[in-house]
Amino acid sequence: MTTRRQLANAVRALAMDAVEKAKSGHPGMPMGMADIAEVLWNDFHSHNPANPHWFNRDRFLLSNGHGSMLQYALLHLSGYDLPMSELERFRQLHSKTPGHPEAHETVGVETTTGPLGQGIANGVGFALAEKVLAERYNRPGFEVVDHHTWVFCGDGCLMEGISQEAISLAGTWKLGKLTLIYDDNNISIDGEVPGWFTDDTAARFEACGWHVIRDVDGHDAEKIKAAIAAAKAETGKPSLVMCKTIIGFGSPNKEGTEACHGAPLGKDEIAAARDMLDWRYAPFEIPAEIYAGWDAKQAGAKREAAWNALFADYARANPELAAELQRRLAAKLPENWAAESQAYVEKMQAEGPDVASRKASQMALNAFGPLLPELIGGSADLAGSNLTIWKGSVSVTETSPAANYIHYGVREFGMTAIGTGLALHGGFIPYDATFLVFSDYARNAVRMSALIPAHSIHVYTHDSIGLGEDGPTHQPVEHLATLRYIPNNRVWRPCDAVESAASWKAAIERKDGPSCLVFSRQTLKHQQRNAQQVADIARGAYVLSDPADTKFKAILIATGSEVELAMEAMRTLAQQGVPVRVVSMPCTESFDAQPLEYREGVLPGWCRARVAVEAAITDFWRKYVGLDGEVIGMTTFGASAPAEQLFDYFGITVTNVVDAVKRVAG
């Protein structure tokens, strides 16, 4: 009969062999956590390899993503569509087994991990999603939302500050279906961790409201099983299972040391490890009895069939709720969305309010929120400034089927990564919010949301030196550019209430990546547009103003609060006999994605006389104005003073724009 240790050794062997063939990778963690993974996946983890997207599956996340071969081995052995040939191509170009797990690249991988600690925060997002959906849709006798989130992590994950942000919130939210399993092996890349990691980890988690199970022998299957069972039985708190393990378990000369952390073991050591583990098979060879011991396809099919039957009964008893849940899980917007959302954009154009774009954002939320039960969001302790609470907001700390608002506290990084987890779980369109300058704290999570990609919306207010008296520590300068430089990220900086509504609409409708919505503190003047101009906002840039009776001599490009300034400059230039075109460019990425014909229609190549205006770092705009053009903006940090004084001080003025246009136009 196949033993648990033999099943675990299959994981160890595949990890050793794949890393050795690739000549790079991390064998130590998979070998150390193999026994834990075997117990979890064979005794607790509810999933169906034949349908990796079955909604009510448990979610498994590998926060210590460098140990990716552990996850690939688990997926392969349990029956997912990940053939051995892909394990043999570990870390190779276009393989389904990249160096770190990547969602949307490998079937069964729930989230992209690698930057340590973010998987923990993603897991908190997954667990929060399950909790909120259960509160909305479950009914007595119909627990149609009922699954667990399992997260593996290591020492490095817990050293990262994001781990504290995430675990604090998980405890506050009482996420009883979240279990974090800690690979407590005392080793990181630089060696034994007591030289730099002496935290009382158990006490830390307990202080955050977690259920903690200490000192579990991570190589004793029965003790692991008992610990995980105890964790699952605790439904009022998230659980931490602290497993003492030996990194590189089974490698006679390298186990327990950093030598097996991030490098192949070498052929001689692998041969010795095979002897030590009594693994008598060739590289990448798995005997039938081992496959049989791991195969989860039959059990998974039974689980899904039982749930399908339950859901069918639920749908008969609760047809409207069932239809709404199915629509949300399919990531389909309501049937009335397109018409209602467009009607609101047009309403803003007709009414023409002069408001700060952060206020316009809140107005859009009040219009769109009632249409979208899937919309969930929150702010990093700035709700009153970000204006992210709308009339239908209900805190997730309340037990309510309408829960949809998250008070994240001052945790920008954790907030953003938790939002990614909400998006990846399914059933939600999440938004998070802070001041634009503090996107720095969140940046790696924003990057990850674009890389995955996740349908997340990042809301940033107080978008420039227009913040005023709080000074340069709070005034973003380089932030718009750095966010725009993230591949697959779309940054919207609207100029008025109309563009604000259109940017929210675009972000909600975009499914293949995140959007950053950047709003002002100060009031912005409404701009006049015709119907075609309103429609063209969604294309990222459009002609806002052209001279009526003559050909323009120069093009002014602006975003946000500076569109009003550009329009004033246009009127001044017109009086001086210099006709100019004004282009509003709220989203450069959307504009760049348009067909050449459209882009040429907005920024024709024949007109090299171009001036861009934005109260942010100037260099970004060279891609549109070229070496012949000029940019009016920031080249230094800001200063503390009233906003109107700052625009004058830094030269972001009508006069300077007019002078720049005259220079480039000759």
Side-chain angles (χ1 to χ4, degrees):
M1 181 178 177
T2 304
T3 66
R4 285 191 178 275
R5 176 57 53 83
Q6 288 171 322
L7 295 176
N9 285 345
V11 173
R12 294 184 170 103
L14 289 173
M16 290 190 298
D17 294 340
V19 172
E20 182 66 24
K21 185 172 183 180
K23 302 302 179 186
S24 72
H26 299 76
M29 183 280 247
M31 296 174 73
M33 294 197 79
D35 295 307
I36 305 167
E38 187 277 322
V39 173
L40 176 64
W41 275 59
N42 284 323
D43 289 21
F44 296 96
H45 185 43
S46 179
H47 63 122
N48 183 9
N51 182 11
H53 302 296
W54 168 42
F55 164 66
N56 204 44
R57 68 190 183 278
D58 287 354
R59 271 63 168 182
F60 174 79
L61 285 72
L62 195 74
S63 187
N64 43 351
H66 55 272
S68 57
M69 266 308 304
L70 172 73
Q71 189 162 19
Y72 301 147
L74 295 171
L75 293 169
H76 170 77
L77 292 167
S78 62
Y80 285 77
D81 184 18
L82 189 66
M84 186 66 82
S85 58
E86 292 293 339
L87 273 64
E88 294 183 54
R89 296 179 63 232
F90 178 56
R91 287 181 161 234
Q92 304 309 298
L93 184 64
H94 302 313
S95 76
K96 294 181 180 179
T97 51
H100 292 80
E102 296 182 28
H104 303 282
E105 289 288 341
T106 309
V107 63
V109 172
E110 301 284 0
T111 185
T112 301
T113 56
L116 293 177
Q118 282 197 65
I120 297 174
N122 291 165
V124 172
F126 274 87
L128 179 62
E130 194 274 347
K131 178 177 183 288
V132 174
L133 286 173
E135 289 174 354
R136 183 172 182 89
Y137 292 106
N138 286 353
R139 294 294 184 270
F142 296 108
E143 302 292 317
V144 294
V145 183
D146 183 16
H147 48 268
H148 214 89
T149 300
W150 310 101
V151 182
F152 277 13
C153 76
D155 296 298
C157 294
L158 297 184
M159 293 181 212
E160 291 284 0
I162 190 175
S163 69
Q164 182 59 37
E165 296 182 21
I167 69 170
S168 177
L169 286 166
T172 297
W173 297 334
K174 298 179 171 47
L175 300 179
K177 292 182 181 177
L178 171 65
T179 297
L180 183 62
I181 300 177
Y182 170 32
D183 183 28
D184 186 8
N185 62 25
N186 207 48
I187 293 291
S188 68
I189 292 174
D190 282 352
E192 297 184 4
V193 301
W196 48 89
F197 186 53
T198 58
D199 303 16
D200 187 337
T201 298
R204 173 185 163 196
F205 275 77
E206 286 174 339
C208 292
W210 284 59
H211 169 224
V212 177
I213 301 170
R214 295 170 166 84
D215 298 322
V216 179
D217 184 342
H219 302 295
D220 186 318
E222 292 307 310
K223 291 180 179 177
I224 297 166
K225 183 176 180 178
I228 296 175
K232 193 170 183 179
E234 174 54 75
T235 59
K237 299 178 178 180
S239 291
L240 172 70
V241 179
M242 303 179 66
C243 292
K244 291 288 184 180
T245 63
I246 299 171
I247 190 170
F249 182 94
S251 172
N253 301 300
K254 294 185 177 182
E255 69 173 19
T257 73
E258 66 272 21
C260 62
H261 183 284
L265 297 180
K267 291 183 179 180
D268 291 344
E269 185 66 11
I270 289 175
R274 277 178 151 78
D275 288 339
M276 186 172 177
L277 297 169
D278 195 26
W279 186 259
R280 306 300 177 183
Y281 309 102
F284 300 104
E285 179 186 349
I286 303 293
E289 60 269 24
I290 297 293
Y291 275 124
W294 275 104
D295 190 359
K297 294 191 293 293
Q298 185 176 357
K302 288 181 178 178
R303 294 188 191 103
E304 184 174 354
W307 184 82
N308 287 339
L310 175 67
F311 192 85
D313 291 341
Y314 171 80
R316 283 188 285 270
N318 307 277
E320 292 184 1
L321 283 174
E324 182 183 274
L325 178 58
Q326 287 177 309
R327 178 189 64 75
R328 288 175 61 171
L329 296 178
K332 294 180 179 179
L333 294 170
E335 290 185 3
N336 63 338
W337 165 257
E340 295 277 355
S341 60
Q342 186 59 32
Y344 178 74
V345 175
E346 294 170 1
K347 178 175 181 285
M348 287 296 96
Q349 184 61 48
E351 294 181 355
D354 291 349
V355 295
S357 54
R358 61 170 176 163
K359 179 60 180 178
S361 168
Q362 186 180 52
M363 293 160 60
L365 283 170
N366 279 319
F368 296 158
L371 305 174
L372 299 169
E374 56 265 54
L375 193 65
I376 187 169
S379 176
D381 203 46
L382 290 169
S385 295
N386 295 143
L387 301 184
T388 48
I389 292 178
W390 57 282
K391 293 177 181 178
S393 293
V394 178
S395 174
V396 298
T397 57
E398 301 179 27
T399 302
S400 168
N404 63 2
Y405 194 81
I406 307 167
H407 293 278
Y408 283 106
V410 189
R411 301 181 179 95
E412 295 87 358
F413 194 3
M415 168 184 71
T416 308
I418 288 169
T420 296
L422 284 163
L424 292 174
H425 177 277
F428 291 100
I429 301 174
Y431 65 89
D432 49 72
T434 185
F435 287 179
L436 178 58
V437 75
F438 300 135
S439 65
D440 281 342
Y441 285 126
R443 181 179 170 82
N444 194 261
V446 175
R447 180 181 187 271
M448 292 295 287
S449 71
L451 173 63
I452 286 169
H455 186 187
S456 298
I457 301 173
H458 310 300
V459 178
Y460 299 124
T461 66
H462 298 63
D463 65 347
S464 72
I465 57 172
L467 172 64
E469 291 87 345
D470 277 343
T473 63
H474 283 55
Q475 292 167 3
V477 173
E478 75 277 20
H479 300 74
L480 285 165
T482 60
L483 290 170
R484 288 167 176 151
Y485 284 133
I486 296 174
N488 197 40
N489 190 35
R490 292 194 176 177
V491 181
W492 291 84
R493 187 176 185 239
C495 75
D496 64 3
V498 182
E499 287 190 359
S500 296
S503 67
W504 263 110
K505 185 175 185 295
I508 288 166
E509 292 175 353
R510 187 190 185 204
K511 296 180 181 180
D512 58 351
S515 301
C516 297
L517 307 184
V518 182
F519 299 118
S520 73
R521 179 190 186 190
Q522 70 272 32
T523 298
L524 305 181
K525 187 176 180 179
H526 172 71
Q527 300 299 324
Q528 294 299 321
R529 302 173 184 83
N530 59 35
Q532 187 59 57
Q533 289 172 312
V534 171
D536 286 343
I537 295 172
R539 307 185 80 162
Y542 61 100
V543 178
L544 181 62
S545 175
D546 258 347
D549 303 316
T550 186
K551 188 176 183 180
F552 57 86
K553 294 183 178 180
I555 301 174
L556 275 170
I557 309 168
T559 78
S561 53
E562 288 68 69
V563 169
E564 179 181 342
L565 189 151
M567 291 293 287
E568 292 178 10
M570 175 273 295
R571 288 187 281 269
T572 299
L573 286 161
Q575 293 171 358
Q576 298 176 10
V578 184
V580 299
R581 165 177 282 187
V582 177
V583 171
S584 177
M585 191 178 286
C587 183
T588 64
E589 301 83 13
S590 292
F591 177 70
D592 290 346
Q594 299 304 309
L596 176 62
E597 182 180 9
Y598 180 81
R599 289 182 279 126
E600 181 68 15
V602 176
L603 298 177
W606 63 262
C607 184
R608 301 283 294 271
R610 302 178 183 183
V611 176
V613 191
E614 187 175 64
I617 205 73
T618 59
D619 285 354
F620 172 84
W621 289 99
R622 293 293 174 189
K623 65 184 287 189
Y624 297 109
V625 304
L627 297 178
D628 300 326
E630 292 195 23
V631 185
I632 303 297
M634 298 293 295
T635 58
T636 68
F637 293 114
S640 179
E644 60 275 9
Q645 294 180 24
L646 292 172
F647 280 93
D648 286 340
Y649 178 78
F650 288 107
I652 306 172
T653 64
V654 171
T655 299
N656 280 350
V657 173
V658 167
D659 290 344
V661 169
K662 290 178 178 178
R663 286 192 296 270
V664 300

